[in-house]
Amino acid sequence: YVGRDTDLSIAQLETAAAALNDWAEDDGASKIISIASAAFLGNKILPVDDALSAPQPPHAATSAPTVLNQHAVPLLIPKLQLPRLHTALVPRIRLLRQLDSAATRRLTLVIAPAGFGKTTLVRQWIAESSQAPAVAWLSLDAEDNDPVRFWRYVIEACQRIQPDLGAAALGQLSTLVQLPFAPSPLETVLTTLLNALLQYAQPCLLVLEDYHLITAAPIHTTLAFFLEHLPDTVHLLILTRSEPALPLSRLRARNELGEITAGDLRFSPTETQAFLAQTMNLTHLSPAEQNAARHALLRLDAQMEGWAAGLRLLALTLEGQQTAAAIEHSLDTFVGSHRPILDYFVDEVLNTLPAPQQHFLLQISVLGRLTASLCDAVTAQTNSGELLAALDQAGLFLEPLGGQEAWYRFHTLFAEAMQHEARRRLGGEMLSALAYKASLWYEQQDMLAEAVEAALRAPDFARAAQLIKQLGDDQRFYGKFQHTGLPNEFHTLQRWLEQLPPALLRQHPELGLEYATALLMTHFSERYPEQVMARIDEALSAAETGFRALGNTSKLGEVFAFRALLTRQHGEINQSITWAQQALAWLPPDELAWRSVSQGVLGLGELLTGRLDVARQQMQTALTLIQVIGNPHFLRATIGQLSAISYEAGDLHQTVADLQPMLATVRPSGTRLALLDLRADQRVDAAGAMDGSTGKPSGDRAPQ
């Protein structure tokens, strides 16, 4: 469909014809087959636009909510709070002006190794900006390498600017399902978020801290899409140790990228003097001794090359030195030892503390973020709040994160040093016990995702398995195909399950089924890699063996429905029908998602054999189940299948009536129609398959 005939010109028709001809040649298709007659076969949809708006289900009763379910997996709120500024700051006018200039572009990168003051600089800039925009701040962790979790945190960060900003996108994210053989729906969610940011119309700043911890390619891809369509009122600022996998060359060519590097962040001699004047008290020395000490410090700074963390460590090293000779000796030791900086953290910081504080620091080094009640639980103490406050007051590389209950995190280099020393002094068994206690605390706080991570660090795989099952039982983490208003973090689920021993997965067939689901959802492509299909089949076989041993026919029904879906997508229709029939015999009435999948497979089978009346009944049943679930992706696919049956029956009026609900979901949001990619190498093996050109039963195999 290219438009009303009264609105079309010859030039428009020629352009459309040329595009269709190129498309047919590229895919090896011998002819253009009707879009409607192919819809039921689940072909890949190619968007016409760069940005597709997100359609919603046509019925209000089944539409997605605009906010996450109140029982959703909770977020770690300190990740969304701006870091607290230190009371003593060195004026860095040149860098603040550089940030002012960079803010006129689309993206600013602050890129430097650990300890160069990236976070402090940006936080200072935000505090001192004369035209401070609204700020959304997100501190990233390695556990955020899940596209759904990443974007959930980003949207929640944006809601710090305005409570309902991105609410619709958050609702879509909660129902997001990656259908096999289909494009990623994340761009649809991001389009909704971008539209919300555009409507907000006020200048705002989105800061992503520690982006170097993000390694998942889907996140880089979706962030590039987000960045490409970012409204002019929004500025993205990324703090990272390494150059991110984003289209930086294109941004540089367009003058849309501002960059601050390690060379920029190094303290100048003037800034070094200001820093040392704030952190060191030399007034007890004579004027001559003060002058000698300052010259020695400047000589040292030349060797440290303005490294902020090194200067801070130096200040701690020199704290309490009473004479110029003692200061000079410490400086000579600092320069002459050539020991790694991590050793210095241990020798010159940790070892100078009282023994109880040393032991406390080593125990809590297993934690990513710290708060008093968590540290109490891990260390079996009752004064963790006082100890954390004292360490913060002493400037001991502890960064406050704020919150009703104060949260902290270690400076990265200091954390690495403490963890290394903890392994040496406390031993692996003690660290495992501490991680286990942290897992218990997280579970008590209903932070089950964090509880799983801590259990895996312990490593207590049996406990991790039970926690993952707990998340699965109440659908609070991945939600399968059902609409629950909760995040579907399949990448995280896959990462967790792949850390469990295979024998443990075999003991818990539910986890085997969830592992197969995670593989299906995270390796979507037109053709699954052979090794991925082998892993899915192995997981399903293990799950089937376990459920048979338990006599659990309901779960066996899920396994068979899963296989029906896979074989249908690969064109093995007869086998798919066999699986679907057995699945429906075993699935309980309230397992709507898998029943709808199986019902749709049976409807497809009836369509391919030419029994159109029966096919319509089967597909209508599937549609009814999908409407109850409220999943918009499955809803549109099933509507397309139902309309295909009417089309093949020659009832074009009914075809139009079938498609009206789908049309209603796309027109209000401005979504353009899309083309279906009909690939000649995807074919259906079924007796009596229909001829694509006539719509009549034929012995030939029809394109899938």
Side-chain angles (χ1 to χ4, degrees):
Y1 179 78
V2 291
R4 297 176 183 272
D5 53 357
T6 55
D7 298 334
L8 293 174
S9 66
I10 294 297
Q12 289 173 304
L13 291 172
E14 288 178 343
T15 299
L20 288 170
N21 186 59
D22 292 342
W23 164 67
E25 291 178 353
D26 289 344
D27 292 335
S30 60
K31 55 182 176 291
I32 303 301
I33 302 175
S34 162
I35 290 176
S37 65
F40 71 96
L41 288 172
N43 294 289
K44 180 180 178 183
I45 297 177
L46 297 179
V48 178
D49 271 357
D50 286 336
L52 294 178
S53 298
Q56 297 293 327
H59 306 296
T62 61
S63 63
T66 57
V67 295
L68 287 178
N69 187 293
Q70 62 177 340
H71 300 298
V73 177
L75 297 176
L76 195 58
I77 298 302
K79 288 162 59 75
L80 306 176
Q81 294 172 332
L82 273 70
R84 196 178 71 190
L85 273 175
H86 294 286
T87 54
L89 288 173
V90 175
R92 312 204 73 184
I93 305 302
R94 59 185 177 88
L95 291 179
L96 297 180
R97 289 175 178 169
Q98 200 169 332
L99 281 172
D100 285 337
S101 175
T104 62
R105 300 177 174 88
R106 187 179 297 269
L107 169 66
T108 296
L109 277 183
V110 181
I111 178 170
F116 273 82
K118 300 184 291 294
T119 298
T120 300
L121 171 66
V122 173
R123 185 64 184 87
Q124 184 180 5
W125 174 62
I126 292 172
E128 298 184 8
S129 176
S130 58
Q131 298 178 339
V135 179
W137 187 289
L138 172 57
S139 298
L140 294 163
D141 294 314
E143 290 78 16
D144 296 323
N145 275 289
D146 184 299
V148 173
R149 178 180 293 193
F150 175 88
W151 285 109
R152 183 186 173 204
Y153 264 114
V154 169
I155 296 171
E156 292 277 4
C158 291
Q159 292 192 339
R160 296 273 161 165
I161 298 174
Q162 180 174 296
D164 62 346
L165 184 60
L170 200 59
Q172 291 172 353
L173 192 65
S174 70
T175 61
L176 183 144
V177 173
Q178 172 59 59
L179 297 179
F181 307 95
S184 170
L186 266 173
E187 288 187 3
T188 297
V189 176
L190 298 185
T191 299
T192 302
L193 175 60
L194 289 163
N195 287 337
L197 290 169
L198 183 63
Q199 292 170 6
Y200 178 67
Q202 299 296 321
C204 51
L205 172 69
L206 173 59
V207 180
L208 301 179
E209 183 186 15
D210 292 337
Y211 190 79
H212 56 273
L213 298 174
I214 299 301
T215 57
I219 295 179
H220 299 318
T221 301
T222 51
L223 185 61
F225 171 86
F226 180 78
L227 183 59
E228 178 68 21
H229 299 90
L230 203 63
D232 293 338
T233 54
V234 183
H235 183 69
L236 179 62
L237 196 155
I238 294 179
L239 308 177
T240 178
R241 293 191 199 174
S242 56
E243 191 168 280
L246 296 172
L248 301 181
S249 298
R250 185 165 71 238
L251 291 170
R252 289 189 183 102
R254 296 176 180 174
N255 196 29
E256 293 180 342
L257 176 63
E259 297 177 86
I260 294 180
T261 65
D264 301 312
L265 287 164
R266 297 185 190 280
F267 274 53
S268 68
T270 302
E271 290 168 336
T272 299
Q273 284 184 316
F275 173 80
L276 294 174
Q278 289 179 354
T279 56
M280 295 183 59
N281 182 14
L282 302 178
T283 56
H284 60 282
L285 302 178
S286 68
E289 289 176 326
Q290 290 183 32
N291 189 50
R294 289 193 183 98
H295 280 294
L297 289 169
L298 290 176
R299 288 198 307 272
L300 178 60
D301 177 55
Q303 298 184 44
M304 296 177 63
E305 297 181 335
W307 183 43
L311 289 171
R312 190 174 174 193
L313 176 59
L314 173 62
L316 285 172
T317 302
L318 299 181
E319 188 172 341
Q321 302 290 357
Q322 297 298 315
T323 66
I327 292 175
E328 190 165 352
H329 175 74
S330 295
L331 293 176
D332 290 340
T333 303
F334 193 92
V335 175
S337 65
H338 300 293
R339 285 179 293 172
I341 195 66
L342 297 186
D343 290 347
Y344 248 97
F345 277 121
V346 173
D347 294 338
E348 304 298 339
V349 180
L350 179 65
N351 290 343
T352 63
L353 297 173
Q357 287 191 12
Q358 290 187 40
H359 190 61
F360 177 74
L361 276 175
L362 295 176
Q363 286 180 302
I364 64 175
S365 68
V366 301
L367 306 173
R369 281 171 169 77
L370 318 167
T371 194
S373 56
L374 172 57
C375 293
D376 280 346
V378 169
T379 63
Q381 296 182 188
T382 58
N383 63 336
S384 296
E386 299 173 8
L387 288 171
L388 288 171
L391 293 173
D392 178 32
Q393 186 69 26
L396 202 62
F397 297 92
L398 199 64
E399 300 175 5
L401 299 175
Q404 290 184 342
E405 182 182 7
W407 284 79
Y408 304 85
R409 69 172 177 181
F410 286 123
H411 184 283
T412 305
L413 287 177
F414 189 71
E416 292 174 1
M418 294 304 99
Q419 291 161 8
H420 182 271
E421 188 67 8
R423 283 191 293 271
R424 190 182 72 82
R425 293 193 193 181
L426 304 182
E429 187 174 343
M430 172 63 77
L431 295 182
S432 295
L434 296 171
Y436 176 80
K437 291 179 181 180
S439 180
L440 289 176
W441 184 88
Y442 284 125
E443 184 182 12
Q444 292 167 0
Q445 305 302 313
D446 201 31
M447 302 170 68
L448 295 186
E450 286 76 11
V452 173
E453 299 284 0
L456 290 171
R457 285 197 301 270
D460 188 331
F461 296 124
R463 173 173 174 75
Q466 290 297 332
L467 289 167
I468 296 170
K469 285 177 62 178
Q470 186 176 338
L471 280 165
D473 289 342
D474 60 12
Q475 296 294 291
R476 292 206 302 149
F477 191 68
Y478 34 88
K480 290 187 196 172
F481 304 118
Q482 300 191 35
H483 163 56
T484 60
L486 302 169
N488 299 302
E489 298 179 7
F490 291 106
H491 288 78
T492 299
L493 177 62
Q494 179 186 343
R495 176 173 58 82
W496 286 349
L497 294 174
E498 287 179 345
Q499 293 181 64
L500 300 182
L504 191 60
L505 283 179
R506 289 192 291 270
Q507 293 174 20
H508 299 280
E510 301 94 336
L511 297 183
L513 182 57
E514 301 307 343
Y515 182 47
T517 303
L519 287 170
L520 181 76
M521 296 301 177
T522 57
H523 290 83
F524 48 85
S525 63
E526 189 173 311
R527 291 286 186 184
Y528 282 89
E530 201 171 305
Q531 62 271 27
V532 174
M533 289 302 300
R535 288 157 65 193
I536 292 176
D537 184 66
E538 182 181 357
L540 289 177
S541 297
E544 180 181 351
T545 300
F547 290 137
R548 285 190 184 278
L550 296 171
N552 191 335
T553 55
S554 296
K555 285 294 184 180
L556 280 172
E558 292 187 28
V559 173
F560 278 54
F562 199 126
R563 284 182 167 149
L565 174 65
L566 283 181
T567 51
R568 170 192 179 277
Q569 292 300 130
H570 281 270
E572 302 169 17
I573 301 301
N574 289 333
Q575 181 60 66
S576 179
I577 292 170
T578 301
W579 293 127
Q581 289 171 336
Q582 184 60 71
L584 288 171
W586 280 339
L587 287 168
D590 60 349
E591 182 50 68
L592 303 185
W594 284 120
R595 291 192 73 87
S596 69
V597 169
S598 302
Q599 205 72 54
V601 168
L602 295 186
L604 173 60
E606 298 293 350
L607 173 58
L608 292 177
T609 57
R611 300 172 60 188
L612 301 184
D613 290 341
V614 180
R616 184 170 186 83
Q617 292 174 7
Q618 299 277 18
M619 206 62 71
Q620 186 63 57
T621 300
L623 180 60
T624 301
L625 296 175
I626 292 294
Q627 287 173 329
V628 174
I629 295 172
N631 185 289
H633 310 286
F634 278 21
L635 183 67
R636 290 192 294 275
T638 308
I639 289 175
Q641 294 166 357
L642 188 64
S643 69
I645 297 172
S646 300
Y647 180 86
E648 295 300 336
D651 190 345
L652 300 187
H653 291 288
Q654 185 59 51
T655 304
V656 172
D658 292 337
L659 288 171
Q660 284 299 332
M662 187 191 295
L663 200 59
T665 69
V666 297
R667 275 189 171 168
S669 55
T671 302
R672 296 189 185 179
L673 296 177
L675 293 175
L676 289 174
D677 180 13
L678 309 179
R679 297 193 178 273
D681 61 343
Q682 297 178 1
R683 300 191 176 272
V684 176
D685 292 316
M690 289 176 299
D691 184 287
S693 60
T694 65
K696 298 179 181 179
S698 168
D700 296 334
R701 299 194 302 176
Q704 181 181 16

